[in-house]
Amino acid sequence: GLRSTAAPIMDENGEVIGAINISVPAAEVSYEELISRISPVVRATAAQISAQLGYEPAEILSRQATIFARGRK
């Protein structure tokens, strides 16, 4: 059998436009290793690709808005 993990690729509007996935043999990679070691790399890679496409997560936009609002005082 296989184990797999995936993460969405977002565009500048926050729309999902694709995904990346990795599948590994279940006999060679435990569920715990998939979740703790492999999945974070897949998510980070998807985030990097999304950022290159102009996506900015809500928490970043929120921080930018707060900084902007402070600067206007």
Side-chain angles (χ1 to χ4, degrees), residues 33-60:
E33 184 178 14
L34 180 73
I35 297 303
S36 67
R37 190 174 68 83
I38 298 171
S39 187
V41 174
V42 172
R43 289 193 314 269
T45 302
Q48 289 173 344
I49 295 168
S50 297
Q52 290 176 353
L53 295 172
Y55 176 67
E56 296 185 22
E59 61 270 10
I60 292 173

PDB file of all heavy atoms in Angstrom, residues 33-60:
ATOM      1  N   GLU A  33       5.843   9.198  10.688  1.00  0.00           N
ATOM      2  CA  GLU A  33       6.919   9.848   9.932  1.00  0.00           C
ATOM      3  C   GLU A  33       6.351  10.692   8.795  1.00  0.00           C
ATOM      4  O   GLU A  33       6.833  11.802   8.535  1.00  0.00           O
ATOM      5  CB  GLU A  33       7.887   8.806   9.366  1.00  0.00           C
ATOM      6  CG  GLU A  33       9.060   9.430   8.650  1.00  0.00           C
ATOM      7  CD  GLU A  33      10.059   8.410   8.132  1.00  0.00           C
ATOM      8  OE1 GLU A  33       9.754   7.203   8.078  1.00  0.00           O
ATOM      9  OE2 GLU A  33      11.164   8.843   7.769  1.00  0.00           O
ATOM     10  N   LEU A  34       5.319  10.198   8.154  1.00  0.00           N
ATOM     11  CA  LEU A  34       4.667  10.960   7.087  1.00  0.00           C
ATOM     12  C   LEU A  34       4.160  12.297   7.625  1.00  0.00           C
ATOM     13  O   LEU A  34       4.410  13.355   7.042  1.00  0.00           O
ATOM     14  CB  LEU A  34       3.513  10.165   6.484  1.00  0.00           C
ATOM     15  CG  LEU A  34       2.748  10.845   5.359  1.00  0.00           C
ATOM     16  CD1 LEU A  34       3.577  10.871   4.086  1.00  0.00           C
ATOM     17  CD2 LEU A  34       1.423  10.150   5.119  1.00  0.00           C
ATOM     18  N   ILE A  35       3.496  12.260   8.772  1.00  0.00           N
ATOM     19  CA  ILE A  35       2.915  13.468   9.361  1.00  0.00           C
ATOM     20  C   ILE A  35       3.982  14.389   9.941  1.00  0.00           C
ATOM     21  O   ILE A  35       3.932  15.604   9.755  1.00  0.00           O
ATOM     22  CB  ILE A  35       1.886  13.087  10.456  1.00  0.00           C
ATOM     23  CG1 ILE A  35       0.727  12.319   9.841  1.00  0.00           C
ATOM     24  CG2 ILE A  35       1.388  14.313  11.208  1.00  0.00           C
ATOM     25  CD1 ILE A  35      -0.007  13.041   8.735  1.00  0.00           C
ATOM     26  N   SER A  36       4.970  13.844  10.617  1.00  0.00           N
ATOM     27  CA  SER A  36       5.938  14.691  11.312  1.00  0.00           C
ATOM     28  C   SER A  36       7.087  15.178  10.437  1.00  0.00           C
ATOM     29  O   SER A  36       7.614  16.266  10.664  1.00  0.00           O
ATOM     30  CB  SER A  36       6.508  13.954  12.525  1.00  0.00           C
ATOM     31  OG  SER A  36       7.300  12.849  12.106  1.00  0.00           O
ATOM     32  N   ARG A  37       7.482  14.399   9.427  1.00  0.00           N
ATOM     33  CA  ARG A  37       8.675  14.753   8.668  1.00  0.00           C
ATOM     34  C   ARG A  37       8.393  15.128   7.214  1.00  0.00           C
ATOM     35  O   ARG A  37       8.935  16.102   6.708  1.00  0.00           O
ATOM     36  CB  ARG A  37       9.674  13.586   8.705  1.00  0.00           C
ATOM     37  CG  ARG A  37      11.033  13.927   8.155  1.00  0.00           C
ATOM     38  CD  ARG A  37      12.018  12.800   8.351  1.00  0.00           C
ATOM     39  NE  ARG A  37      11.721  11.620   7.562  1.00  0.00           N
ATOM     40  CZ  ARG A  37      12.079  11.461   6.287  1.00  0.00           C
ATOM     41  NH1 ARG A  37      12.745  12.388   5.660  1.00  0.00           N
ATOM     42  NH2 ARG A  37      11.762  10.344   5.654  1.00  0.00           N
ATOM     43  N   ILE A  38       7.521  14.394   6.564  1.00  0.00           N
ATOM     44  CA  ILE A  38       7.311  14.601   5.126  1.00  0.00           C
ATOM     45  C   ILE A  38       6.238  15.652   4.851  1.00  0.00           C
ATOM     46  O   ILE A  38       6.420  16.543   4.020  1.00  0.00           O
ATOM     47  CB  ILE A  38       6.986  13.258   4.441  1.00  0.00           C
ATOM     48  CG1 ILE A  38       8.179  12.316   4.600  1.00  0.00           C
ATOM     49  CG2 ILE A  38       6.625  13.462   2.982  1.00  0.00           C
ATOM     50  CD1 ILE A  38       7.935  10.900   4.165  1.00  0.00           C
ATOM     51  N   SER A  39       5.122  15.573   5.541  1.00  0.00           N
ATOM     52  CA  SER A  39       4.022  16.514   5.307  1.00  0.00           C
ATOM     53  C   SER A  39       4.431  17.975   5.496  1.00  0.00           C
ATOM     54  O   SER A  39       4.052  18.827   4.674  1.00  0.00           O
ATOM     55  CB  SER A  39       2.834  16.156   6.203  1.00  0.00           C
ATOM     56  OG  SER A  39       1.717  16.935   5.883  1.00  0.00           O
ATOM     57  N   PRO A  40       5.206  18.323   6.529  1.00  0.00           N
ATOM     58  CA  PRO A  40       5.618  19.729   6.660  1.00  0.00           C
ATOM     59  C   PRO A  40       6.436  20.237   5.462  1.00  0.00           C
ATOM     60  O   PRO A  40       6.314  21.399   5.071  1.00  0.00           O
ATOM     61  CB  PRO A  40       6.454  19.743   7.943  1.00  0.00           C
ATOM     62  CG  PRO A  40       5.942  18.592   8.731  1.00  0.00           C
ATOM     63  CD  PRO A  40       5.603  17.544   7.710  1.00  0.00           C
ATOM     64  N   VAL A  41       7.238  19.375   4.875  1.00  0.00           N
ATOM     65  CA  VAL A  41       8.029  19.761   3.705  1.00  0.00           C
ATOM     66  C   VAL A  41       7.110  19.999   2.504  1.00  0.00           C
ATOM     67  O   VAL A  41       7.277  20.977   1.766  1.00  0.00           O
ATOM     68  CB  VAL A  41       9.098  18.693   3.381  1.00  0.00           C
ATOM     69  CG1 VAL A  41       9.826  19.027   2.087  1.00  0.00           C
ATOM     70  CG2 VAL A  41      10.079  18.563   4.532  1.00  0.00           C
ATOM     71  N   VAL A  42       6.118  19.148   2.340  1.00  0.00           N
ATOM     72  CA  VAL A  42       5.159  19.318   1.245  1.00  0.00           C
ATOM     73  C   VAL A  42       4.383  20.621   1.427  1.00  0.00           C
ATOM     74  O   VAL A  42       4.230  21.403   0.486  1.00  0.00           O
ATOM     75  CB  VAL A  42       4.204  18.102   1.149  1.00  0.00           C
ATOM     76  CG1 VAL A  42       3.086  18.352   0.155  1.00  0.00           C
ATOM     77  CG2 VAL A  42       4.990  16.853   0.766  1.00  0.00           C
ATOM     78  N   ARG A  43       3.919  20.896   2.647  1.00  0.00           N
ATOM     79  CA  ARG A  43       3.172  22.133   2.909  1.00  0.00           C
ATOM     80  C   ARG A  43       4.045  23.366   2.704  1.00  0.00           C
ATOM     81  O   ARG A  43       3.595  24.359   2.123  1.00  0.00           O
ATOM     82  CB  ARG A  43       2.586  22.111   4.329  1.00  0.00           C
ATOM     83  CG  ARG A  43       1.433  21.125   4.472  1.00  0.00           C
ATOM     84  CD  ARG A  43       0.642  21.320   5.763  1.00  0.00           C
ATOM     85  NE  ARG A  43       1.464  21.490   6.944  1.00  0.00           N
ATOM     86  CZ  ARG A  43       1.872  20.493   7.734  1.00  0.00           C
ATOM     87  NH1 ARG A  43       1.554  19.259   7.444  1.00  0.00           N
ATOM     88  NH2 ARG A  43       2.604  20.744   8.795  1.00  0.00           N
ATOM     89  N   ALA A  44       5.290  23.306   3.156  1.00  0.00           N
ATOM     90  CA  ALA A  44       6.198  24.448   2.985  1.00  0.00           C
ATOM     91  C   ALA A  44       6.492  24.697   1.508  1.00  0.00           C
ATOM     92  O   ALA A  44       6.543  25.850   1.065  1.00  0.00           O
ATOM     93  CB  ALA A  44       7.496  24.208   3.749  1.00  0.00           C
ATOM     94  N   THR A  45       6.660  23.633   0.751  1.00  0.00           N
ATOM     95  CA  THR A  45       6.914  23.773  -0.683  1.00  0.00           C
ATOM     96  C   THR A  45       5.701  24.377  -1.377  1.00  0.00           C
ATOM     97  O   THR A  45       5.846  25.278  -2.221  1.00  0.00           O
ATOM     98  CB  THR A  45       7.285  22.414  -1.293  1.00  0.00           C
ATOM     99  OG1 THR A  45       8.441  21.908  -0.619  1.00  0.00           O
ATOM    100  CG2 THR A  45       7.561  22.530  -2.779  1.00  0.00           C
ATOM    101  N   ALA A  46       4.513  23.919  -1.026  1.00  0.00           N
ATOM    102  CA  ALA A  46       3.291  24.492  -1.607  1.00  0.00           C
ATOM    103  C   ALA A  46       3.162  25.969  -1.249  1.00  0.00           C
ATOM    104  O   ALA A  46       2.775  26.787  -2.082  1.00  0.00           O
ATOM    105  CB  ALA A  46       2.060  23.721  -1.127  1.00  0.00           C
ATOM    106  N   ALA A  47       3.515  26.325  -0.032  1.00  0.00           N
ATOM    107  CA  ALA A  47       3.453  27.733   0.386  1.00  0.00           C
ATOM    108  C   ALA A  47       4.439  28.583  -0.409  1.00  0.00           C
ATOM    109  O   ALA A  47       4.123  29.715  -0.792  1.00  0.00           O
ATOM    110  CB  ALA A  47       3.737  27.851   1.889  1.00  0.00           C
ATOM    111  N   GLN A  48       5.628  28.044  -0.671  1.00  0.00           N
ATOM    112  CA  GLN A  48       6.622  28.778  -1.463  1.00  0.00           C
ATOM    113  C   GLN A  48       6.129  28.991  -2.897  1.00  0.00           C
ATOM    114  O   GLN A  48       6.265  30.081  -3.449  1.00  0.00           O
ATOM    115  CB  GLN A  48       7.955  28.035  -1.476  1.00  0.00           C
ATOM    116  CG  GLN A  48       8.669  28.063  -0.154  1.00  0.00           C
ATOM    117  CD  GLN A  48       9.906  27.175  -0.160  1.00  0.00           C
ATOM    118  OE1 GLN A  48      10.081  26.319  -1.017  1.00  0.00           O
ATOM    119  NE2 GLN A  48      10.763  27.382   0.825  1.00  0.00           N
ATOM    120  N   ILE A  49       5.569  27.953  -3.484  1.00  0.00           N
ATOM    121  CA  ILE A  49       5.036  28.075  -4.847  1.00  0.00           C
ATOM    122  C   ILE A  49       3.901  29.090  -4.863  1.00  0.00           C
ATOM    123  O   ILE A  49       3.842  29.961  -5.737  1.00  0.00           O
ATOM    124  CB  ILE A  49       4.561  26.704  -5.371  1.00  0.00           C
ATOM    125  CG1 ILE A  49       5.757  25.756  -5.516  1.00  0.00           C
ATOM    126  CG2 ILE A  49       3.818  26.860  -6.701  1.00  0.00           C
ATOM    127  CD1 ILE A  49       5.366  24.307  -5.742  1.00  0.00           C
ATOM    128  N   SER A  50       3.009  28.998  -3.890  1.00  0.00           N
ATOM    129  CA  SER A  50       1.882  29.933  -3.802  1.00  0.00           C
ATOM    130  C   SER A  50       2.366  31.369  -3.663  1.00  0.00           C
ATOM    131  O   SER A  50       1.837  32.282  -4.312  1.00  0.00           O
ATOM    132  CB  SER A  50       0.982  29.558  -2.622  1.00  0.00           C
ATOM    133  OG  SER A  50       0.409  28.282  -2.802  1.00  0.00           O
ATOM    134  N   ALA A  51       3.377  31.582  -2.838  1.00  0.00           N
ATOM    135  CA  ALA A  51       3.924  32.935  -2.656  1.00  0.00           C
ATOM    136  C   ALA A  51       4.494  33.464  -3.964  1.00  0.00           C
ATOM    137  O   ALA A  51       4.335  34.650  -4.288  1.00  0.00           O
ATOM    138  CB  ALA A  51       4.988  32.923  -1.570  1.00  0.00           C
ATOM    139  N   GLN A  52       5.145  32.605  -4.734  1.00  0.00           N
ATOM    140  CA  GLN A  52       5.683  33.025  -6.029  1.00  0.00           C
ATOM    141  C   GLN A  52       4.570  33.399  -7.004  1.00  0.00           C
ATOM    142  O   GLN A  52       4.783  34.193  -7.922  1.00  0.00           O
ATOM    143  CB  GLN A  52       6.568  31.933  -6.620  1.00  0.00           C
ATOM    144  CG  GLN A  52       7.865  31.770  -5.855  1.00  0.00           C
ATOM    145  CD  GLN A  52       8.711  30.628  -6.376  1.00  0.00           C
ATOM    146  OE1 GLN A  52       8.293  29.857  -7.231  1.00  0.00           O
ATOM    147  NE2 GLN A  52       9.916  30.516  -5.855  1.00  0.00           N
ATOM    148  N   LEU A  53       3.386  32.855  -6.772  1.00  0.00           N
ATOM    149  CA  LEU A  53       2.227  33.178  -7.612  1.00  0.00           C
ATOM    150  C   LEU A  53       1.451  34.377  -7.078  1.00  0.00           C
ATOM    151  O   LEU A  53       0.413  34.737  -7.617  1.00  0.00           O
ATOM    152  CB  LEU A  53       1.303  31.959  -7.716  1.00  0.00           C
ATOM    153  CG  LEU A  53       1.904  30.755  -8.434  1.00  0.00           C
ATOM    154  CD1 LEU A  53       0.982  29.549  -8.310  1.00  0.00           C
ATOM    155  CD2 LEU A  53       2.167  31.081  -9.890  1.00  0.00           C
ATOM    156  N   GLY A  54       1.938  34.982  -5.993  1.00  0.00           N
ATOM    157  CA  GLY A  54       1.309  36.182  -5.461  1.00  0.00           C
ATOM    158  C   GLY A  54       0.388  35.961  -4.274  1.00  0.00           C
ATOM    159  O   GLY A  54      -0.199  36.911  -3.757  1.00  0.00           O
ATOM    160  N   TYR A  55       0.270  34.733  -3.800  1.00  0.00           N
ATOM    161  CA  TYR A  55      -0.603  34.460  -2.664  1.00  0.00           C
ATOM    162  C   TYR A  55       0.035  34.954  -1.378  1.00  0.00           C
ATOM    163  O   TYR A  55       1.215  34.735  -1.116  1.00  0.00           O
ATOM    164  CB  TYR A  55      -0.891  32.969  -2.545  1.00  0.00           C
ATOM    165  CG  TYR A  55      -1.712  32.604  -1.329  1.00  0.00           C
ATOM    166  CD1 TYR A  55      -3.036  33.008  -1.225  1.00  0.00           C
ATOM    167  CD2 TYR A  55      -1.164  31.873  -0.287  1.00  0.00           C
ATOM    168  CE1 TYR A  55      -3.791  32.689  -0.105  1.00  0.00           C
ATOM    169  CE2 TYR A  55      -1.913  31.538   0.827  1.00  0.00           C
ATOM    170  CZ  TYR A  55      -3.226  31.957   0.917  1.00  0.00           C
ATOM    171  OH  TYR A  55      -3.981  31.639   2.018  1.00  0.00           O
ATOM    172  N   GLU A  56      -0.742  35.652  -0.560  1.00  0.00           N
ATOM    173  CA  GLU A  56      -0.320  36.082   0.768  1.00  0.00           C
ATOM    174  C   GLU A  56      -1.356  35.586   1.763  1.00  0.00           C
ATOM    175  O   GLU A  56      -2.512  35.999   1.704  1.00  0.00           O
ATOM    176  CB  GLU A  56      -0.213  37.606   0.824  1.00  0.00           C
ATOM    177  CG  GLU A  56       0.846  38.173  -0.091  1.00  0.00           C
ATOM    178  CD  GLU A  56       1.012  39.670   0.064  1.00  0.00           C
ATOM    179  OE1 GLU A  56       0.638  40.207   1.115  1.00  0.00           O
ATOM    180  OE2 GLU A  56       1.515  40.280  -0.875  1.00  0.00           O
ATOM    181  N   PRO A  57      -0.947  34.708   2.684  1.00  0.00           N
ATOM    182  CA  PRO A  57      -1.899  34.183   3.663  1.00  0.00           C
ATOM    183  C   PRO A  57      -2.558  35.297   4.473  1.00  0.00           C
ATOM    184  O   PRO A  57      -1.977  36.371   4.662  1.00  0.00           O
ATOM    185  CB  PRO A  57      -1.030  33.307   4.561  1.00  0.00           C
ATOM    186  CG  PRO A  57       0.159  32.969   3.729  1.00  0.00           C
ATOM    187  CD  PRO A  57       0.385  34.157   2.837  1.00  0.00           C
ATOM    188  N   ALA A  58      -3.739  35.043   4.964  1.00  0.00           N
ATOM    189  CA  ALA A  58      -4.526  36.039   5.697  1.00  0.00           C
ATOM    190  C   ALA A  58      -3.767  36.630   6.871  1.00  0.00           C
ATOM    191  O   ALA A  58      -3.856  37.828   7.129  1.00  0.00           O
ATOM    192  CB  ALA A  58      -5.839  35.423   6.167  1.00  0.00           C
ATOM    193  N   GLU A  59      -2.991  35.822   7.603  1.00  0.00           N
ATOM    194  CA  GLU A  59      -2.281  36.365   8.761  1.00  0.00           C
ATOM    195  C   GLU A  59      -1.219  37.376   8.342  1.00  0.00           C
ATOM    196  O   GLU A  59      -0.970  38.349   9.039  1.00  0.00           O
ATOM    197  CB  GLU A  59      -1.672  35.271   9.643  1.00  0.00           C
ATOM    198  CG  GLU A  59      -0.648  34.397   8.974  1.00  0.00           C
ATOM    199  CD  GLU A  59      -1.231  33.158   8.309  1.00  0.00           C
ATOM    200  OE1 GLU A  59      -2.448  33.032   8.193  1.00  0.00           O
ATOM    201  OE2 GLU A  59      -0.430  32.319   7.887  1.00  0.00           O
ATOM    202  N   ILE A  60      -0.621  37.183   7.180  1.00  0.00           N
ATOM    203  CA  ILE A  60       0.351  38.158   6.678  1.00  0.00           C
ATOM    204  C   ILE A  60      -0.374  39.437   6.274  1.00  0.00           C
ATOM    205  O   ILE A  60       0.059  40.540   6.607  1.00  0.00           O
ATOM    206  CB  ILE A  60       1.160  37.579   5.502  1.00  0.00           C
ATOM    207  CG1 ILE A  60       2.078  36.462   6.002  1.00  0.00           C
ATOM    208  CG2 ILE A  60       1.976  38.669   4.804  1.00  0.00           C
ATOM    209  CD1 ILE A  60       2.807  35.713   4.918  1.00  0.00           C
TER     210      ILE A  60
END
